[in-house]
Amino acid sequence: MPTSPDVFIKHPEVPVTSIDAISSDTDISRSDSRVSPPDRRPIPPPPPRTRPTSSSSTNAVAQSDVEPCTMVIRPWIDPLVDDDGHDPRSRYVEQFWLGVLGPTATWILRRLVAGLERHPDGYQLDLALTAKTMGLSYTAGRSSPFAKALQRCTMFGLAHQTSDGLAVRRRIPPVAHRHLRRMPPVVQSAHDDWERSSITIDSLSRAHRIALAMLESGDDLAVIEHQLVAVGIDDLTAAEVADNAARL
């Protein structure tokens, strides 16, 4: 049997590519399909914080020392109370007003009235210095003990605010009954005895002679009433004589 000649079948040529080439083409296509993010400008850093230097704080303290907080104190003109009222340093104020005002407001009121005796038309009061001399703290505003005591003087009608300070009573009116009702019974009873007591001519003359002798010997007006009571003069007579001596 004759052998058939070798038949060669020709297949179409298929391009052969390497694996490296395929992977490189794939990477290129993927990189082309990515969307690049938009350009963002860098955010500038915040400015550095600076602390006040010691010189600036020193200047602020020095300025506060140069410009103290002050107010003007003027007399509160009230003819009715000025004629029949009590001296703020009297025993009446100590016995009956002290429990209403409180000790701090009572002492401040005495200081203010003493300043009006030296300056009848009014004077300028250094608040910080006055508070310090009385052993009190003072800060700007209404929260310090000194400021609260001034508010109590205004609250109970012994001073009222003006455009640049306070107008202060030089004489203190009798304690109102609504305030006395809050006091202990012993204080209420003592106030009733004070109002019912009367002054006799003999006791008034004796008290005047003793008061004149005290003044001639150099005693202070502020202690005349207490000394009269100490030698046996009744409270009402001693208060009347001491008030007359202060008006001389």
Side-chain angles (χ1 to χ4, degrees), residues 78-103:
D78 188 345
L80 182 60
V81 178
D82 290 343
D83 292 338
D84 299 332
H86 302 275
D87 190 284
R89 294 150 293 188
S90 65
R91 296 183 71 249
Y92 180 90
V93 173
E94 289 182 3
Q95 292 184 17
F96 308 118
W97 269 106
L98 183 61
V100 177
L101 282 178

PDB file of all heavy atoms in Angstrom, residues 78-103:
ATOM      1  N   ASP A  78     -32.683 116.082 104.611  1.00  0.00           N
ATOM      2  CA  ASP A  78     -34.035 115.695 104.996  1.00  0.00           C
ATOM      3  C   ASP A  78     -34.343 116.423 106.308  1.00  0.00           C
ATOM      4  O   ASP A  78     -33.966 115.958 107.381  1.00  0.00           O
ATOM      5  CB  ASP A  78     -34.146 114.191 105.169  1.00  0.00           C
ATOM      6  CG  ASP A  78     -35.585 113.727 105.380  1.00  0.00           C
ATOM      7  OD1 ASP A  78     -36.447 114.578 105.677  1.00  0.00           O
ATOM      8  OD2 ASP A  78     -35.851 112.512 105.241  1.00  0.00           O
ATOM      9  N   PRO A  79     -35.009 117.594 106.247  1.00  0.00           N
ATOM     10  CA  PRO A  79     -35.205 118.393 107.470  1.00  0.00           C
ATOM     11  C   PRO A  79     -35.894 117.632 108.594  1.00  0.00           C
ATOM     12  O   PRO A  79     -35.537 117.812 109.768  1.00  0.00           O
ATOM     13  CB  PRO A  79     -36.064 119.572 106.984  1.00  0.00           C
ATOM     14  CG  PRO A  79     -35.785 119.677 105.519  1.00  0.00           C
ATOM     15  CD  PRO A  79     -35.570 118.272 105.054  1.00  0.00           C
ATOM     16  N   LEU A  80     -36.867 116.787 108.264  1.00  0.00           N
ATOM     17  CA  LEU A  80     -37.586 116.079 109.320  1.00  0.00           C
ATOM     18  C   LEU A  80     -36.667 115.127 110.076  1.00  0.00           C
ATOM     19  O   LEU A  80     -36.618 115.130 111.311  1.00  0.00           O
ATOM     20  CB  LEU A  80     -38.766 115.321 108.714  1.00  0.00           C
ATOM     21  CG  LEU A  80     -39.652 114.552 109.706  1.00  0.00           C
ATOM     22  CD1 LEU A  80     -40.263 115.506 110.725  1.00  0.00           C
ATOM     23  CD2 LEU A  80     -40.737 113.782 108.966  1.00  0.00           C
ATOM     24  N   VAL A  81     -35.926 114.307 109.357  1.00  0.00           N
ATOM     25  CA  VAL A  81     -35.027 113.352 110.006  1.00  0.00           C
ATOM     26  C   VAL A  81     -33.816 114.065 110.589  1.00  0.00           C
ATOM     27  O   VAL A  81     -33.305 113.663 111.655  1.00  0.00           O
ATOM     28  CB  VAL A  81     -34.599 112.261 109.006  1.00  0.00           C
ATOM     29  CG1 VAL A  81     -33.623 111.277 109.643  1.00  0.00           C
ATOM     30  CG2 VAL A  81     -35.816 111.529 108.473  1.00  0.00           C
ATOM     31  N   ASP A  82     -33.345 115.117 109.955  1.00  0.00           N
ATOM     32  CA  ASP A  82     -32.184 115.835 110.480  1.00  0.00           C
ATOM     33  C   ASP A  82     -32.482 116.461 111.843  1.00  0.00           C
ATOM     34  O   ASP A  82     -31.569 116.610 112.671  1.00  0.00           O
ATOM     35  CB  ASP A  82     -31.745 116.921 109.495  1.00  0.00           C
ATOM     36  CG  ASP A  82     -31.141 116.332 108.232  1.00  0.00           C
ATOM     37  OD1 ASP A  82     -30.779 115.141 108.255  1.00  0.00           O
ATOM     38  OD2 ASP A  82     -31.057 117.049 107.201  1.00  0.00           O
ATOM     39  N   ASP A  83     -33.730 116.825 112.102  1.00  0.00           N
ATOM     40  CA  ASP A  83     -34.076 117.447 113.387  1.00  0.00           C
ATOM     41  C   ASP A  83     -34.346 116.414 114.479  1.00  0.00           C
ATOM     42  O   ASP A  83     -33.946 116.601 115.637  1.00  0.00           O
ATOM     43  CB  ASP A  83     -35.310 118.356 113.226  1.00  0.00           C
ATOM     44  CG  ASP A  83     -35.008 119.574 112.368  1.00  0.00           C
ATOM     45  OD1 ASP A  83     -33.817 119.932 112.256  1.00  0.00           O
ATOM     46  OD2 ASP A  83     -35.962 120.154 111.800  1.00  0.00           O
ATOM     47  N   ASP A  84     -35.003 115.313 114.135  1.00  0.00           N
ATOM     48  CA  ASP A  84     -35.436 114.356 115.150  1.00  0.00           C
ATOM     49  C   ASP A  84     -34.699 113.024 115.081  1.00  0.00           C
ATOM     50  O   ASP A  84     -35.010 112.124 115.879  1.00  0.00           O
ATOM     51  CB  ASP A  84     -36.943 114.082 114.997  1.00  0.00           C
ATOM     52  CG  ASP A  84     -37.770 115.341 115.188  1.00  0.00           C
ATOM     53  OD1 ASP A  84     -37.314 116.244 115.914  1.00  0.00           O
ATOM     54  OD2 ASP A  84     -38.869 115.426 114.589  1.00  0.00           O
ATOM     55  N   GLY A  85     -33.766 112.876 114.163  1.00  0.00           N
ATOM     56  CA  GLY A  85     -33.084 111.587 114.008  1.00  0.00           C
ATOM     57  C   GLY A  85     -31.981 111.374 115.023  1.00  0.00           C
ATOM     58  O   GLY A  85     -31.695 112.227 115.878  1.00  0.00           O
ATOM     59  N   HIS A  86     -31.349 110.219 114.943  1.00  0.00           N
ATOM     60  CA  HIS A  86     -30.292 109.819 115.874  1.00  0.00           C
ATOM     61  C   HIS A  86     -28.935 109.853 115.170  1.00  0.00           C
ATOM     62  O   HIS A  86     -28.831 109.575 113.970  1.00  0.00           O
ATOM     63  CB  HIS A  86     -30.553 108.411 116.405  1.00  0.00           C
ATOM     64  CG  HIS A  86     -31.878 108.264 117.095  1.00  0.00           C
ATOM     65  ND1 HIS A  86     -32.071 108.576 118.423  1.00  0.00           N
ATOM     66  CD2 HIS A  86     -33.081 107.842 116.623  1.00  0.00           C
ATOM     67  CE1 HIS A  86     -33.329 108.339 118.757  1.00  0.00           C
ATOM     68  NE2 HIS A  86     -33.961 107.901 117.671  1.00  0.00           N
ATOM     69  N   ASP A  87     -27.920 110.167 115.952  1.00  0.00           N
ATOM     70  CA  ASP A  87     -26.558 110.131 115.417  1.00  0.00           C
ATOM     71  C   ASP A  87     -26.187 108.675 115.113  1.00  0.00           C
ATOM     72  O   ASP A  87     -26.505 107.771 115.892  1.00  0.00           O
ATOM     73  CB  ASP A  87     -25.587 110.733 116.430  1.00  0.00           C
ATOM     74  CG  ASP A  87     -24.206 110.933 115.832  1.00  0.00           C
ATOM     75  OD1 ASP A  87     -23.471 109.935 115.685  1.00  0.00           O
ATOM     76  OD2 ASP A  87     -23.860 112.089 115.526  1.00  0.00           O
ATOM     77  N   PRO A  88     -25.505 108.420 113.989  1.00  0.00           N
ATOM     78  CA  PRO A  88     -25.135 107.031 113.679  1.00  0.00           C
ATOM     79  C   PRO A  88     -24.233 106.385 114.724  1.00  0.00           C
ATOM     80  O   PRO A  88     -24.157 105.156 114.791  1.00  0.00           O
ATOM     81  CB  PRO A  88     -24.416 107.158 112.329  1.00  0.00           C
ATOM     82  CG  PRO A  88     -24.915 108.438 111.747  1.00  0.00           C
ATOM     83  CD  PRO A  88     -25.166 109.345 112.897  1.00  0.00           C
ATOM     84  N   ARG A  89     -23.551 107.198 115.532  1.00  0.00           N
ATOM     85  CA  ARG A  89     -22.671 106.653 116.566  1.00  0.00           C
ATOM     86  C   ARG A  89     -23.347 106.588 117.932  1.00  0.00           C
ATOM     87  O   ARG A  89     -22.692 106.329 118.947  1.00  0.00           O
ATOM     88  CB  ARG A  89     -21.408 107.511 116.658  1.00  0.00           C
ATOM     89  CG  ARG A  89     -20.547 107.440 115.398  1.00  0.00           C
ATOM     90  CD  ARG A  89     -19.768 108.691 115.142  1.00  0.00           C
ATOM     91  NE  ARG A  89     -20.678 109.805 114.803  1.00  0.00           N
ATOM     92  CZ  ARG A  89     -20.248 110.986 114.378  1.00  0.00           C
ATOM     93  NH1 ARG A  89     -18.955 111.205 114.217  1.00  0.00           N
ATOM     94  NH2 ARG A  89     -21.107 111.942 114.105  1.00  0.00           N
ATOM     95  N   SER A  90     -24.656 106.816 117.978  1.00  0.00           N
ATOM     96  CA  SER A  90     -25.385 106.826 119.243  1.00  0.00           C
ATOM     97  C   SER A  90     -25.679 105.416 119.724  1.00  0.00           C
ATOM     98  O   SER A  90     -25.596 104.439 118.982  1.00  0.00           O
ATOM     99  CB  SER A  90     -26.695 107.603 119.084  1.00  0.00           C
ATOM    100  OG  SER A  90     -27.551 106.927 118.169  1.00  0.00           O
ATOM    101  N   ARG A  91     -26.062 105.317 121.006  1.00  0.00           N
ATOM    102  CA  ARG A  91     -26.428 104.030 121.584  1.00  0.00           C
ATOM    103  C   ARG A  91     -27.742 103.513 120.999  1.00  0.00           C
ATOM    104  O   ARG A  91     -27.973 102.301 120.961  1.00  0.00           O
ATOM    105  CB  ARG A  91     -26.535 104.163 123.107  1.00  0.00           C
ATOM    106  CG  ARG A  91     -25.216 104.512 123.770  1.00  0.00           C
ATOM    107  CD  ARG A  91     -25.327 104.569 125.290  1.00  0.00           C
ATOM    108  NE  ARG A  91     -25.500 103.227 125.849  1.00  0.00           N
ATOM    109  CZ  ARG A  91     -26.611 102.798 126.404  1.00  0.00           C
ATOM    110  NH1 ARG A  91     -27.685 103.589 126.451  1.00  0.00           N
ATOM    111  NH2 ARG A  91     -26.699 101.580 126.918  1.00  0.00           N
ATOM    112  N   TYR A  92     -28.599 104.419 120.550  1.00  0.00           N
ATOM    113  CA  TYR A  92     -29.845 103.977 119.918  1.00  0.00           C
ATOM    114  C   TYR A  92     -29.536 103.135 118.681  1.00  0.00           C
ATOM    115  O   TYR A  92     -30.147 102.077 118.472  1.00  0.00           O
ATOM    116  CB  TYR A  92     -30.704 105.179 119.554  1.00  0.00           C
ATOM    117  CG  TYR A  92     -32.018 104.807 118.897  1.00  0.00           C
ATOM    118  CD1 TYR A  92     -33.153 104.588 119.668  1.00  0.00           C
ATOM    119  CD2 TYR A  92     -32.118 104.662 117.513  1.00  0.00           C
ATOM    120  CE1 TYR A  92     -34.367 104.236 119.080  1.00  0.00           C
ATOM    121  CE2 TYR A  92     -33.317 104.316 116.913  1.00  0.00           C
ATOM    122  CZ  TYR A  92     -34.440 104.089 117.700  1.00  0.00           C
ATOM    123  OH  TYR A  92     -35.627 103.726 117.105  1.00  0.00           O
ATOM    124  N   VAL A  93     -28.603 103.602 117.855  1.00  0.00           N
ATOM    125  CA  VAL A  93     -28.235 102.861 116.644  1.00  0.00           C
ATOM    126  C   VAL A  93     -27.582 101.534 117.018  1.00  0.00           C
ATOM    127  O   VAL A  93     -27.832 100.495 116.400  1.00  0.00           O
ATOM    128  CB  VAL A  93     -27.309 103.715 115.764  1.00  0.00           C
ATOM    129  CG1 VAL A  93     -26.777 102.913 114.579  1.00  0.00           C
ATOM    130  CG2 VAL A  93     -28.051 104.949 115.252  1.00  0.00           C
ATOM    131  N   GLU A  94     -26.758 101.543 118.051  1.00  0.00           N
ATOM    132  CA  GLU A  94     -26.105 100.308 118.476  1.00  0.00           C
ATOM    133  C   GLU A  94     -27.119  99.277 118.982  1.00  0.00           C
ATOM    134  O   GLU A  94     -26.993  98.082 118.709  1.00  0.00           O
ATOM    135  CB  GLU A  94     -25.075 100.607 119.565  1.00  0.00           C
ATOM    136  CG  GLU A  94     -23.846 101.341 119.074  1.00  0.00           C
ATOM    137  CD  GLU A  94     -22.847 101.549 120.190  1.00  0.00           C
ATOM    138  OE1 GLU A  94     -23.114 101.067 121.325  1.00  0.00           O
ATOM    139  OE2 GLU A  94     -21.814 102.193 119.949  1.00  0.00           O
ATOM    140  N   GLN A  95     -28.114  99.730 119.716  1.00  0.00           N
ATOM    141  CA  GLN A  95     -29.062  98.797 120.313  1.00  0.00           C
ATOM    142  C   GLN A  95     -30.139  98.312 119.339  1.00  0.00           C
ATOM    143  O   GLN A  95     -30.541  97.145 119.396  1.00  0.00           O
ATOM    144  CB  GLN A  95     -29.732  99.448 121.528  1.00  0.00           C
ATOM    145  CG  GLN A  95     -28.786  99.690 122.692  1.00  0.00           C
ATOM    146  CD  GLN A  95     -29.517 100.255 123.912  1.00  0.00           C
ATOM    147  OE1 GLN A  95     -30.735 100.177 124.002  1.00  0.00           O
ATOM    148  NE2 GLN A  95     -28.764 100.836 124.838  1.00  0.00           N
ATOM    149  N   PHE A  96     -30.596  99.206 118.454  1.00  0.00           N
ATOM    150  CA  PHE A  96     -31.786  98.868 117.669  1.00  0.00           C
ATOM    151  C   PHE A  96     -31.545  98.803 116.158  1.00  0.00           C
ATOM    152  O   PHE A  96     -32.269  98.080 115.466  1.00  0.00           O
ATOM    153  CB  PHE A  96     -32.901  99.867 117.980  1.00  0.00           C
ATOM    154  CG  PHE A  96     -33.166 100.022 119.452  1.00  0.00           C
ATOM    155  CD1 PHE A  96     -32.992 101.240 120.088  1.00  0.00           C
ATOM    156  CD2 PHE A  96     -33.578  98.937 120.210  1.00  0.00           C
ATOM    157  CE1 PHE A  96     -33.238 101.382 121.441  1.00  0.00           C
ATOM    158  CE2 PHE A  96     -33.821  99.069 121.574  1.00  0.00           C
ATOM    159  CZ  PHE A  96     -33.653 100.295 122.193  1.00  0.00           C
ATOM    160  N   TRP A  97     -30.592  99.549 115.637  1.00  0.00           N
ATOM    161  CA  TRP A  97     -30.315  99.481 114.207  1.00  0.00           C
ATOM    162  C   TRP A  97     -29.267  98.428 113.873  1.00  0.00           C
ATOM    163  O   TRP A  97     -29.199  97.953 112.734  1.00  0.00           O
ATOM    164  CB  TRP A  97     -29.838 100.838 113.674  1.00  0.00           C
ATOM    165  CG  TRP A  97     -30.940 101.723 113.167  1.00  0.00           C
ATOM    166  CD1 TRP A  97     -31.462 102.836 113.760  1.00  0.00           C
ATOM    167  CD2 TRP A  97     -31.652 101.567 111.932  1.00  0.00           C
ATOM    168  NE1 TRP A  97     -32.455 103.379 112.992  1.00  0.00           N
ATOM    169  CE2 TRP A  97     -32.597 102.625 111.854  1.00  0.00           C
ATOM    170  CE3 TRP A  97     -31.611 100.646 110.907  1.00  0.00           C
ATOM    171  CZ2 TRP A  97     -33.469 102.774 110.787  1.00  0.00           C
ATOM    172  CZ3 TRP A  97     -32.478 100.794 109.830  1.00  0.00           C
ATOM    173  CH2 TRP A  97     -33.394 101.851 109.774  1.00  0.00           C
ATOM    174  N   LEU A  98     -28.435  98.072 114.808  1.00  0.00           N
ATOM    175  CA  LEU A  98     -27.344  97.144 114.524  1.00  0.00           C
ATOM    176  C   LEU A  98     -27.854  95.795 114.044  1.00  0.00           C
ATOM    177  O   LEU A  98     -27.313  95.201 113.109  1.00  0.00           O
ATOM    178  CB  LEU A  98     -26.473  96.964 115.778  1.00  0.00           C
ATOM    179  CG  LEU A  98     -25.238  96.076 115.623  1.00  0.00           C
ATOM    180  CD1 LEU A  98     -24.287  96.654 114.587  1.00  0.00           C
ATOM    181  CD2 LEU A  98     -24.536  95.919 116.964  1.00  0.00           C
ATOM    182  N   GLY A  99     -28.918  95.297 114.667  1.00  0.00           N
ATOM    183  CA  GLY A  99     -29.471  94.007 114.244  1.00  0.00           C
ATOM    184  C   GLY A  99     -30.168  94.062 112.903  1.00  0.00           C
ATOM    185  O   GLY A  99     -30.397  93.014 112.286  1.00  0.00           O
ATOM    186  N   VAL A 100     -30.513  95.252 112.439  1.00  0.00           N
ATOM    187  CA  VAL A 100     -31.181  95.408 111.143  1.00  0.00           C
ATOM    188  C   VAL A 100     -30.142  95.571 110.031  1.00  0.00           C
ATOM    189  O   VAL A 100     -30.175  94.872 109.014  1.00  0.00           O
ATOM    190  CB  VAL A 100     -32.143  96.610 111.163  1.00  0.00           C
ATOM    191  CG1 VAL A 100     -32.787  96.817 109.801  1.00  0.00           C
ATOM    192  CG2 VAL A 100     -33.195  96.424 112.245  1.00  0.00           C
ATOM    193  N   LEU A 101     -29.215  96.485 110.233  1.00  0.00           N
ATOM    194  CA  LEU A 101     -28.202  96.764 109.221  1.00  0.00           C
ATOM    195  C   LEU A 101     -27.117  95.705 109.159  1.00  0.00           C
ATOM    196  O   LEU A 101     -26.644  95.335 108.090  1.00  0.00           O
ATOM    197  CB  LEU A 101     -27.556  98.126 109.490  1.00  0.00           C
ATOM    198  CG  LEU A 101     -28.311  99.380 109.104  1.00  0.00           C
ATOM    199  CD1 LEU A 101     -27.509 100.599 109.500  1.00  0.00           C
ATOM    200  CD2 LEU A 101     -28.606  99.392 107.627  1.00  0.00           C
ATOM    201  N   GLY A 102     -26.727  95.215 110.315  1.00  0.00           N
ATOM    202  CA  GLY A 102     -25.549  94.359 110.389  1.00  0.00           C
ATOM    203  C   GLY A 102     -24.340  95.186 110.786  1.00  0.00           C
ATOM    204  O   GLY A 102     -24.292  96.398 110.576  1.00  0.00           O
ATOM    205  N   PRO A 103     -23.334  94.561 111.376  1.00  0.00           N
ATOM    206  CA  PRO A 103     -22.180  95.317 111.879  1.00  0.00           C
ATOM    207  C   PRO A 103     -21.380  96.024 110.787  1.00  0.00           C
ATOM    208  O   PRO A 103     -20.928  97.153 110.979  1.00  0.00           O
ATOM    209  CB  PRO A 103     -21.339  94.252 112.595  1.00  0.00           C
ATOM    210  CG  PRO A 103     -21.788  92.955 112.010  1.00  0.00           C
ATOM    211  CD  PRO A 103     -23.231  93.125 111.658  1.00  0.00           C
TER     212      PRO A 103
END
